[in-house]
Amino acid sequence: MRLHFLRLASVFLFPCSILSAQAQPPPNVILVITDDQGYGDLGITGNPHVRTPVIDKFAKESVRFNRFYVSPVCAPTRSSLMTGRYSLRTGVRDTYNGGAMMAPTEITIAEMLKQANYTTGIFGKWHLGDNYPSRPNDQGFDESLIHLSGGMGQVGDVTTYFKGDSSYFNPTLWHNGKQQAYQGYCSDIFAAGALDFIEKNQKRPFFCYLSFNAPHTPLQVPDAYYQHYKNIDPASGFEKDDRPFVKMSEANKEDARKVYAMVENIDDNLGKLFQKLDELNLTENTLVIFMTDNGPQQVRYVAGMRGRKGSVYQGGVRVPFYVRYPTRFVGNKDIDTPAAHIDVLPTLAELCKVPLPKDCKIDGHSLLPLIEGKSVPWANRSLFFYWSRRYPELYNNVALQKAPYKLVGHTDYNAEITRFELFDLEKDPYEQKNLVNEKTAVARQLKIELDGLFQELVNSENMLHPPRIEVGTPQENPVILNRNDADGDLGIWAQEEIYGLWRVRVHEGRYTIRFKFIEPVPGNGQMILETKPFINQIKQPGTPNDLIEMKDVHLPDMEGDLIPYYSVGSRKIFPFWVEIEKIK
């Protein structure tokens, strides 16, 4: 009888999934996001091969949002996550091609929480700008331990690119804007940095953004983890499953083995994180979020969903999202109302009792009412998805989702409505049956809304006037301009003979400018630097060289494009990076 009474009392005292919030101190916030880990890369989502006991247990203790959405690729997801706004509003339109710099006027979660005296730290991947004024320390983070660009070993990460197949091991990273050498595996390093940050700031509210770069390519992992998977067949175990699956090649299977090993390493590191919270008696009043940034890059299990990274189909944009906050939330609860990355900032604003950013449109909504078991007027709102290289392409890889329907465009700018796809996600969650000919009126209505939102977003202030890198400021000197933030020809990456530029705001002064090339350039050429009002050039001797220096160059106050290239014969070679140091 007493047990029955206590159960009844708990129902009345703690309705739904939220506990009393009276007189509670502000929660610590830990936001964990992984890179290119798809919906299916967890045991709890039905993968029989990957070992994720820590995340699986965490998910069972959490409020689980089962229809949670992000952008198809990483930088747009991260800008929306940080701001509560669709990425195009923030100036982020791509993962490179100069399109992964977030406007410095954007207000991030870190800046918002600092209003409530939170200490803030980021550990891992930022991918929203590598130079002032778009770096983490410029956007509200007190402590920052990151790699550059979209991934370690990529062309934009100048300290790890030349390490090739070992870029994830013993890397040189950027701690509070300065290069620093580290020993060990990258995920272990980032997790250790987060643990140290938490321990140092345990007496005051903190926001810890643990943003793993794994399991993004290159697929590098300590061999001890790989040994757990070297003999598995990642395509096995689904023979009796009636969901649609894409066939895996042998190369796909080997990639999956490495990915699962990288994910298991993350799981182990999260085990250390949760153990540290227990040791410091912080678990109860710490809100922890686990999510991923988009679908898997390679072909592997994704719970039968169509598409993967880069795609607006479900496999590219639907990810796991788990929230645990023991002081206030009763865990082990499923929520099926669609939610998205744009909802994280407004949710934290309400939970941490800080005002939302003003004078800008917040696209997301607080998820707290859903966690409380309340109905919300926006439950059937529309969600917009897009991605194409460099700039949005009208009706190519775009989608508008409004329960239960989803309109998908993979067609021409002037296409008739019947060339689109329409899916009923409640009846067809795997997006196999195109209903556009049966429900043309529904498709037309969704297209009207898609057209309006697309035009609004592409004409955003930060798209029309994208952010620029500032050169010659006390905040960052010297400045290293890297390939990730270079614009010019479409798909600029590691090519040598390609047209490229950096959009800059230069402060008047005298500079030393160093041009680094991937391979030594031939001698007897000219190093040329085009700026808005004039050109500087310097002739080179006959010896090949991979580093050319211009000394004592006067640059005026200017805003424009900085266009460097080495001219030799008929060739024009674009530098790998450019270092600009103001000397007076």
Side-chain angles (χ1 to χ4, degrees):
M1 176 64 73
R2 175 173 172 79
L3 180 60
H4 179 66
F5 170 78
L6 289 174
R7 286 175 176 167
L8 286 175
S10 70
V11 171
F12 290 106
L13 291 173
F14 309 118
C16 302
S17 285
I18 189 160
L19 304 177
S20 173
Q22 294 182 355
Q24 290 295 332
N28 304 305
V29 178
I30 300 176
L31 174 53
V32 179
I33 185 170
T34 62
D35 197 1
D36 289 0
Q37 181 179 357
Y39 182 88
D41 295 330
L42 292 169
I44 196 168
T45 54
N47 192 319
H49 302 293
V50 67
R51 303 181 188 184
T52 53
V54 174
I55 300 173
D56 295 347
K57 180 176 180 290
F58 173 79
K60 292 172 183 175
E61 298 168 347
S62 298
V63 178
R64 298 176 292 270
F65 284 81
N66 294 325
R67 297 177 66 190
F68 191 87
Y69 296 95
V70 293
S71 300
V73 290
C74 39
T77 287
R78 291 158 199 275
S79 65
S80 291
L81 181 64
M82 283 291 103
T83 65
R85 287 155 54 83
Y86 282 122
S87 65
L88 295 177
R89 297 194 198 278
T90 75
V92 174
R93 52 178 170 75
D94 197 359
T95 60
Y96 60 100
N97 287 295
M101 288 187 291
M102 187 168 70
T105 52
E106 294 296 315
I107 305 299
T108 66
I109 292 174
E111 290 173 301
M112 181 184 74
L113 291 180
K114 284 185 72 65
Q115 298 175 79
N117 297 316
Y118 276 71
T119 301
T120 58
I122 175 176
F123 306 90
K125 177 171 176 173
W126 172 241
H127 201 188
L128 296 175
D130 291 333
N131 299 105
Y132 178 78
S134 295
R135 302 166 301 174
N137 292 107
D138 309 319
Q139 294 279 187
F141 287 95
D142 298 309
E143 184 165 355
S144 167
L145 174 58
I146 63 168
H147 63 81
L148 299 184
S149 74
M152 296 175 66
Q154 291 189 353
V155 294
D157 195 4
V158 297
T159 60
T160 66
Y161 175 74
F162 289 107
K163 295 191 64 161
D165 290 339
S166 64
S167 57
Y168 280 23
F169 296 88
N170 305 327
T172 296
L173 301 170
W174 297 77
H175 185 215
N176 296 331
K178 304 296 183 182
Q179 294 185 39
Q180 186 171 328
Y182 289 83
Q183 294 296 308
Y185 181 61
C186 58
S187 294
D188 299 336
I189 294 167
F190 295 135
L195 295 186
D196 182 62
F197 170 81
I198 290 167
E199 188 152 22
K200 287 190 301 187
N201 295 287
Q202 60 181 292
K203 300 298 184 182
R204 58 182 296 182
F206 59 79
F207 169 52
C208 176
Y209 182 33
L210 179 51
S211 179
F212 290 104
N213 62 303
H216 192 289
T217 55
L219 302 181
Q220 301 173 13
V221 66
D223 186 64
Y225 284 94
Y226 176 76
Q227 292 300 317
H228 297 166
Y229 299 93
K230 67 176 184 177
N231 295 319
I232 70 164
D233 179 1
S236 66
F238 311 109
E239 291 80 7
K240 296 181 180 180
D241 200 313
D242 59 359
R243 292 173 293 178
F245 288 98
V246 179
K247 287 191 65 175
M248 296 180 70
S249 67
E250 287 305 314
N252 296 150
K253 292 178 182 180
E254 181 61 12
D255 284 346
R257 295 180 188 109
K258 294 176 181 176
V259 166
Y260 296 162
M262 297 168 84
V263 170
E264 183 179 343
N265 171 267
I266 290 172
D267 194 75
D268 282 350
N269 276 302
L270 291 183
K272 296 174 185 176
L273 171 68
F274 297 143
Q275 182 179 348
K276 177 63 68 173
L277 294 179
D278 288 342
E279 291 173 358
L280 300 176
N281 295 316
L282 296 176
T283 299
E284 293 297 309
N285 196 46
T286 298
L287 184 153
V288 182
I289 295 172
F290 174 85
M291 62 180 293
T292 73
D293 67 346
N294 45 247
Q297 181 175 355
Q298 304 84 11
V299 174
R300 58 182 181 271
Y301 170 77
V302 66
M305 292 187 291
R306 183 176 179 179
R308 57 185 191 272
K309 178 181 180 178
S311 169
V312 297
Y313 293 121
Q314 294 269 51
V317 296
R318 184 181 165 200
V319 300
F321 187 85
Y322 311 130
V323 186
R324 189 185 74 180
Y325 182 15
T327 293
R328 290 195 64 179
F329 301 163
V330 174
N332 197 20
K333 176 184 175 69
D334 291 298
I335 294 177
D336 292 322
T337 301
H341 49 8
I342 53 178
D343 299 325
V344 173
L345 179 141
T347 301
L348 294 178
E350 185 169 3
L351 279 168
C352 301
K353 297 181 174 58
V354 291
L356 285 170
K358 297 179 180 179
D359 303 322
C360 66
K361 180 178 176 59
I362 301 297
D363 293 297
H365 297 277
S366 172
L367 300 175
L368 188 56
L370 291 175
I371 296 172
E372 293 174 334
K374 300 175 183 177
S375 61
V376 292
W378 48 265
N380 291 325
R381 65 176 163 169
S382 300
L383 292 173
F384 170 75
F385 307 97
Y386 95 95
W387 182 67
S388 51
R389 184 59 74 196
R390 196 174 186 185
Y391 288 99
E393 297 176 13
L394 187 58
Y395 305 145
N396 183 27
N397 203 33
V398 299
L400 188 82
Q401 178 174 312
K402 189 171 187 177
Y405 295 107
K406 180 177 177 181
L407 183 73
V408 177
H410 283 288
T411 187
D412 300 333
Y413 78 94
N414 59 352
E416 296 293 327
I417 191 64
T418 53
R419 291 174 62 189
F420 287 75
E421 294 174 293
L422 181 71
F423 303 104
D424 184 334
L425 295 180
E426 290 184 2
K427 297 177 182 178
D428 178 24
Y430 306 118
E431 297 170 299
Q432 299 295 302
K433 184 178 180 181
N434 183 5
L435 302 174
V436 73
N437 290 319
E438 299 173 35
K439 296 186 177 292
T440 306
V442 173
R444 288 188 191 280
Q445 192 60 42
L446 289 177
K447 184 175 177 295
I448 290 171
E449 188 173 349
L450 172 65
D451 286 340
L453 185 55
F454 184 91
Q455 291 301 323
E456 177 186 339
L457 293 174
V458 298
N459 286 288
S460 298
E461 172 65 19
N462 291 322
M463 285 291 288
L464 298 177
H465 302 97
R468 293 181 179 272
I469 296 168
E470 294 209 26
V471 175
T473 69
Q475 290 85 353
E476 185 183 21
N477 188 43
V479 170
I480 298 177
L481 305 176
N482 68 54
R483 282 285 186 106
N484 199 83
D485 292 336
D487 206 343
D489 285 348
L490 178 64
I492 188 168
W493 194 244
Q495 308 93 331
E496 291 187 279
E497 297 181 50
I498 193 168
Y499 173 74
L501 60 88
W502 283 277
R503 292 191 169 90
V504 296
R505 163 79 173 92
V506 177
H507 296 263
E508 191 273 338
R510 307 201 77 84
Y511 291 86
T512 295
I513 306 174
R514 302 176 184 91
F515 306 90
K516 171 69 175 177
F517 294 86
I518 296 174
E519 299 289 343
V521 293
N524 298 316
Q526 282 181 299
M527 187 67 232
I528 296 173
L529 177 64
E530 295 185 10
T531 55
K532 188 175 183 179
F534 60 90
I535 296 174
N536 287 287
Q537 64 83 27
I538 184 170
K539 294 179 173 61
Q540 292 301 296
T543 306
N545 200 352
D546 66 348
L547 186 66
I548 297 175
E549 186 174 70
M550 290 183 175
K551 296 181 179 180
D552 198 24
V553 176
H554 175 260
L555 295 177
D557 226 37
M558 56 167 269
E559 185 174 285
D561 297 338
L562 189 149
I563 309 170
Y565 57 92
Y566 185 75
S567 179
V568 55
S570 61
R571 302 175 66 193
K572 288 183 171 59
I573 304 171
F574 186 57
F576 178 52
W577 51 254
V578 177
E579 181 184 77
I580 308 178
E581 182 177 9
K582 189 174 185 179
I583 52 178
K584 58 183 175 180

